[in-house]
Tab-separated table of all heavy atoms in Angstrom:
chain	number	residue	atom	x	y	z
W	1	LYS	N	0.859	-1.174	0.000
W	1	LYS	CA	0.000	0.000	0.000
W	1	LYS	C	0.904	1.237	0.000
W	1	LYS	O	1.733	1.384	0.893
W	1	LYS	CB	-0.897	0.001	1.241
W	1	LYS	CG	-1.808	1.225	1.341
W	1	LYS	CD	-2.635	1.159	2.628
W	1	LYS	CE	-3.500	2.394	2.804
W	1	LYS	NZ	-4.264	2.354	4.094
W	2	VAL	N	0.738	2.084	-1.014
W	2	VAL	CA	1.533	3.307	-1.125
W	2	VAL	C	0.574	4.488	-1.100
W	2	VAL	O	-0.359	4.561	-1.923
W	2	VAL	CB	2.371	3.333	-2.415
W	2	VAL	CG1	3.202	4.604	-2.487
W	2	VAL	CG2	3.268	2.106	-2.484
W	3	THR	N	0.792	5.421	-0.172
W	3	THR	CA	-0.094	6.570	-0.017
W	3	THR	C	0.731	7.852	-0.103
W	3	THR	O	1.779	7.962	0.564
W	3	THR	CB	-0.812	6.535	1.341
W	3	THR	OG1	-1.416	5.255	1.518
W	3	THR	CG2	-1.858	7.626	1.419
W	4	ASP	N	0.271	8.852	-0.915
W	4	ASP	CA	1.009	10.109	-1.010
W	4	ASP	C	0.443	11.127	-0.022
W	4	ASP	O	-0.465	10.835	0.764
W	4	ASP	CB	0.985	10.651	-2.444
W	4	ASP	CG	-0.415	11.003	-2.921
W	4	ASP	OD1	-1.329	11.118	-2.080
W	4	ASP	OD2	-0.595	11.160	-4.153
W	5	LEU	N	0.970	12.337	-0.067
W	5	LEU	CA	0.573	13.381	0.880
W	5	LEU	C	-0.914	13.716	0.781
W	5	LEU	O	-1.533	14.144	1.768
W	5	LEU	CB	1.398	14.647	0.639
W	5	LEU	CG	2.851	14.608	1.141
W	5	LEU	CD1	3.599	15.838	0.659
W	5	LEU	CD2	2.894	14.514	2.656
W	6	ASN	N	-1.464	13.560	-0.389
W	6	ASN	CA	-2.865	13.882	-0.595
W	6	ASN	C	-3.791	12.706	-0.322
W	6	ASN	O	-4.990	12.785	-0.586
W	6	ASN	CB	-3.086	14.375	-2.031
W	6	ASN	CG	-2.274	15.616	-2.341
W	6	ASN	OD1	-2.176	16.517	-1.504
W	6	ASN	ND2	-1.693	15.670	-3.538
W	7	GLY	N	-3.240	11.643	0.177
W	7	GLY	CA	-4.057	10.482	0.475
W	7	GLY	C	-4.354	9.609	-0.719
W	7	GLY	O	-5.116	8.648	-0.623
W	8	GLN	N	-3.722	9.931	-1.875
W	8	GLN	CA	-3.944	9.136	-3.081
W	8	GLN	C	-3.184	7.816	-2.987
W	8	GLN	O	-2.054	7.768	-2.483
W	8	GLN	CB	-3.480	9.920	-4.315
W	8	GLN	CG	-4.246	11.207	-4.548
W	8	GLN	CD	-5.714	10.948	-4.864
W	8	GLN	OE1	-6.039	10.047	-5.649
W	8	GLN	NE2	-6.599	11.730	-4.243
W	9	LYS	N	-3.770	6.774	-3.476
W	9	LYS	CA	-3.153	5.445	-3.429
W	9	LYS	C	-2.334	5.193	-4.703
W	9	LYS	O	-2.648	5.673	-5.778
W	9	LYS	CB	-4.218	4.360	-3.289
W	9	LYS	CG	-5.105	4.512	-2.062
W	9	LYS	CD	-4.292	4.358	-0.784
W	9	LYS	CE	-5.233	4.301	0.434
W	9	LYS	NZ	-5.929	5.579	0.684
W	10	ALA	N	-1.257	4.448	-4.546
W	10	ALA	CA	-0.394	4.083	-5.681
W	10	ALA	C	0.166	2.691	-5.419
W	10	ALA	O	-0.152	2.060	-4.400
W	10	ALA	CB	0.713	5.106	-5.880
W	11	GLY	N	1.036	2.234	-6.326
W	11	GLY	CA	1.591	0.889	-6.168
W	11	GLY	C	3.083	0.832	-6.470
W	11	GLY	O	3.788	1.835	-6.440
W	12	GLN	N	3.532	-0.372	-6.812
W	12	GLN	CA	4.961	-0.603	-7.034
W	12	GLN	C	5.512	0.240	-8.176
W	12	GLN	O	6.673	0.652	-8.155
W	12	GLN	CB	5.196	-2.094	-7.328
W	12	GLN	CG	6.664	-2.483	-7.380
W	12	GLN	CD	7.349	-2.303	-6.040
W	12	GLN	OE1	6.842	-2.742	-5.011
W	12	GLN	NE2	8.495	-1.640	-6.032
W	13	GLN	N	4.684	0.502	-9.179
W	13	GLN	CA	5.163	1.272	-10.322
W	13	GLN	C	5.658	2.647	-9.908
W	13	GLN	O	6.663	3.138	-10.415
W	13	GLN	CB	4.038	1.400	-11.360
W	13	GLN	CG	4.494	2.068	-12.657
W	13	GLN	CD	3.400	2.052	-13.712
W	13	GLN	OE1	2.336	1.493	-13.500
W	13	GLN	NE2	3.680	2.658	-14.848
W	14	LEU	N	4.960	3.286	-8.966
W	14	LEU	CA	5.399	4.593	-8.470
W	14	LEU	C	6.734	4.472	-7.750
W	14	LEU	O	7.637	5.297	-7.941
W	14	LEU	CB	4.344	5.181	-7.539
W	14	LEU	CG	4.722	6.509	-6.845
W	14	LEU	CD1	4.961	7.594	-7.880
W	14	LEU	CD2	3.632	6.931	-5.868
W	15	LEU	N	6.857	3.437	-6.921
W	15	LEU	CA	8.124	3.245	-6.200
W	15	LEU	C	9.282	3.028	-7.157
W	15	LEU	O	10.396	3.506	-6.942
W	15	LEU	CB	8.009	2.051	-5.238
W	15	LEU	CG	7.012	2.200	-4.088
W	15	LEU	CD1	7.010	0.919	-3.250
W	15	LEU	CD2	7.352	3.393	-3.216
W	16	ASN	N	9.030	2.292	-8.242
W	16	ASN	CA	10.100	1.984	-9.195
W	16	ASN	C	10.671	3.227	-9.864
W	16	ASN	O	11.783	3.193	-10.389
W	16	ASN	CB	9.595	1.014	-10.263
W	16	ASN	CG	9.318	-0.371	-9.696
W	16	ASN	OD1	9.812	-0.703	-8.617
W	16	ASN	ND2	8.547	-1.166	-10.404
W	17	GLU	N	9.908	4.307	-9.854
W	17	GLU	CA	10.399	5.529	-10.481
W	17	GLU	C	11.584	6.127	-9.737
W	17	GLU	O	12.446	6.753	-10.339
W	17	GLU	CB	9.267	6.569	-10.566
W	17	GLU	CG	8.161	6.189	-11.543
W	17	GLU	CD	7.082	7.255	-11.604
W	17	GLU	OE1	7.302	8.348	-11.018
W	17	GLU	OE2	6.026	7.002	-12.217
W	18	PHE	N	11.615	5.962	-8.430
W	18	PHE	CA	12.704	6.588	-7.662
W	18	PHE	C	13.525	5.596	-6.841
W	18	PHE	O	14.496	5.979	-6.201
W	18	PHE	CB	12.156	7.691	-6.739
W	18	PHE	CG	11.159	7.210	-5.718
W	18	PHE	CD1	11.577	6.650	-4.525
W	18	PHE	CD2	9.798	7.334	-5.949
W	18	PHE	CE1	10.668	6.215	-3.583
W	18	PHE	CE2	8.871	6.902	-5.005
W	18	PHE	CZ	9.309	6.331	-3.823
W	19	ILE	N	13.153	4.323	-6.871
W	19	ILE	CA	13.935	3.318	-6.143
W	19	ILE	C	14.858	2.605	-7.124
W	19	ILE	O	14.402	1.964	-8.063
W	19	ILE	CB	13.029	2.284	-5.445
W	19	ILE	CG1	12.117	2.979	-4.435
W	19	ILE	CG2	13.885	1.229	-4.753
W	19	ILE	CD1	12.838	3.699	-3.325
W	20	GLU	N	16.161	2.729	-6.936
W	20	GLU	CA	17.130	2.018	-7.762
W	20	GLU	C	17.357	0.624	-7.174
W	20	GLU	O	17.675	0.480	-5.989
W	20	GLU	CB	18.449	2.792	-7.816
W	20	GLU	CG	19.615	2.059	-8.452
W	20	GLU	CD	19.272	1.476	-9.815
W	20	GLU	OE1	18.675	2.208	-10.652
W	20	GLU	OE2	19.584	0.297	-10.040
W	21	GLN	N	17.175	-0.400	-7.998
W	21	GLN	CA	17.260	-1.785	-7.523
W	21	GLN	C	18.610	-2.080	-6.871
W	21	GLN	O	18.685	-2.772	-5.851
W	21	GLN	CB	17.020	-2.747	-8.688
W	21	GLN	CG	15.644	-2.598	-9.350
W	21	GLN	CD	14.505	-2.961	-8.413
W	21	GLN	OE1	14.463	-4.062	-7.895
W	21	GLN	NE2	13.611	-2.007	-8.169
W	22	LEU	N	19.683	-1.562	-7.460
W	22	LEU	CA	21.011	-1.834	-6.887
W	22	LEU	C	21.217	-1.128	-5.554
W	22	LEU	O	22.071	-1.525	-4.768
W	22	LEU	CB	22.103	-1.417	-7.876
W	22	LEU	CG	22.320	-2.356	-9.057
W	22	LEU	CD1	23.386	-1.807	-9.993
W	22	LEU	CD2	22.718	-3.752	-8.593
W	23	ALA	N	20.427	-0.059	-5.300
W	23	ALA	CA	20.524	0.608	-4.001
W	23	ALA	C	20.036	-0.312	-2.895
W	23	ALA	O	20.471	-0.222	-1.740
W	23	ALA	CB	19.714	1.906	-4.007
W	24	LEU	N	19.113	-1.208	-3.258
W	24	LEU	CA	18.591	-2.183	-2.297
W	24	LEU	C	19.481	-3.411	-2.192
W	24	LEU	O	19.339	-4.207	-1.272
W	24	LEU	CB	17.178	-2.611	-2.716
W	24	LEU	CG	16.156	-1.470	-2.897
W	24	LEU	CD1	14.832	-2.032	-3.381
W	24	LEU	CD2	15.979	-0.693	-1.607
W	25	ASP	N	20.355	-3.578	-3.158
W	25	ASP	CA	21.234	-4.767	-3.187
W	25	ASP	C	22.615	-4.346	-3.679
W	25	ASP	O	23.094	-4.805	-4.713
W	25	ASP	CB	20.625	-5.835	-4.102
W	25	ASP	CG	21.351	-7.170	-3.989
W	25	ASP	OD1	22.177	-7.322	-3.059
W	25	ASP	OD2	21.115	-8.043	-4.832
W	26	LEU	N	23.255	-3.441	-2.966
W	26	LEU	CA	24.567	-2.922	-3.380
W	26	LEU	C	25.627	-4.015	-3.496
W	26	LEU	O	26.482	-3.960	-4.388
W	26	LEU	CB	25.036	-1.827	-2.420
W	26	LEU	CG	26.202	-0.965	-2.921
W	26	LEU	CD1	25.794	-0.218	-4.187
W	26	LEU	CD2	26.656	0.019	-1.864
W	27	PRO	N	25.627	-5.036	-2.620
W	27	PRO	CA	26.625	-6.113	-2.787
W	27	PRO	C	26.584	-6.761	-4.161
W	27	PRO	O	27.608	-7.234	-4.658
W	27	PRO	CB	26.251	-7.113	-1.675
W	27	PRO	CG	25.616	-6.270	-0.623
W	27	PRO	CD	24.848	-5.210	-1.369
W	28	LYS	N	25.401	-6.785	-4.797
W	28	LYS	CA	25.310	-7.374	-6.132
W	28	LYS	C	26.213	-6.626	-7.101
W	28	LYS	O	26.894	-7.230	-7.940
W	28	LYS	CB	23.858	-7.335	-6.617
W	28	LYS	CG	23.667	-7.915	-8.012
W	28	LYS	CD	22.204	-7.866	-8.426
W	28	LYS	CE	22.029	-8.431	-9.841
W	28	LYS	NZ	20.620	-8.379	-10.283
W	29	PHE	N	26.216	-5.302	-6.970
W	29	PHE	CA	27.101	-4.505	-7.829
W	29	PHE	C	28.562	-4.702	-7.434
W	29	PHE	O	29.430	-4.881	-8.286
W	29	PHE	CB	26.733	-3.025	-7.729
W	29	PHE	CG	27.675	-2.122	-8.479
W	29	PHE	CD1	27.541	-1.933	-9.848
W	29	PHE	CD2	28.726	-1.480	-7.833
W	29	PHE	CE1	28.415	-1.115	-10.544
W	29	PHE	CE2	29.599	-0.660	-8.516
W	29	PHE	CZ	29.437	-0.479	-9.881
W	30	MET	N	28.847	-4.686	-6.140
W	30	MET	CA	30.229	-4.783	-5.671
W	30	MET	C	30.845	-6.133	-5.994
W	30	MET	O	32.062	-6.240	-6.184
W	30	MET	CB	30.294	-4.514	-4.166
W	30	MET	CG	29.830	-3.110	-3.782
W	30	MET	SD	29.927	-2.783	-2.007
W	30	MET	CE	31.701	-2.700	-1.772
W	31	GLU	N	30.019	-7.178	-6.057
W	31	GLU	CA	30.538	-8.521	-6.346
W	31	GLU	C	30.626	-8.811	-7.840
W	31	GLU	O	31.138	-9.857	-8.247
W	31	GLU	CB	29.638	-9.572	-5.679
W	31	GLU	CG	29.716	-9.540	-4.154
W	31	GLU	CD	28.598	-10.326	-3.504
W	31	GLU	OE1	27.833	-10.974	-4.259
W	31	GLU	OE2	28.494	-10.291	-2.266
């Protein structure tokens, strides 16, 4: 469940816009 300041609902697609996958798994890049 993703909620913005205005109470609007969103999903994973919104998160993917600003979440870098390697930021969540930096060892993958380092290895």
Side-chain angles (χ1 to χ4, degrees):
K1 178 182 177 182
V2 181
T3 309
D4 63 16
L5 285 172
N6 300 319
Q8 297 295 316
K9 302 296 189 292
Q12 188 64 48
Q13 186 174 356
L14 175 62
L15 295 179
N16 291 341
E17 291 181 9
F18 61 83
I19 299 299
E20 170 51 47
Q21 299 295 303
L22 284 178
L24 304 177
D25 190 11
L26 195 62
K28 179 179 179 181
F29 175 82
M30 298 181 71
E31 292 166 5

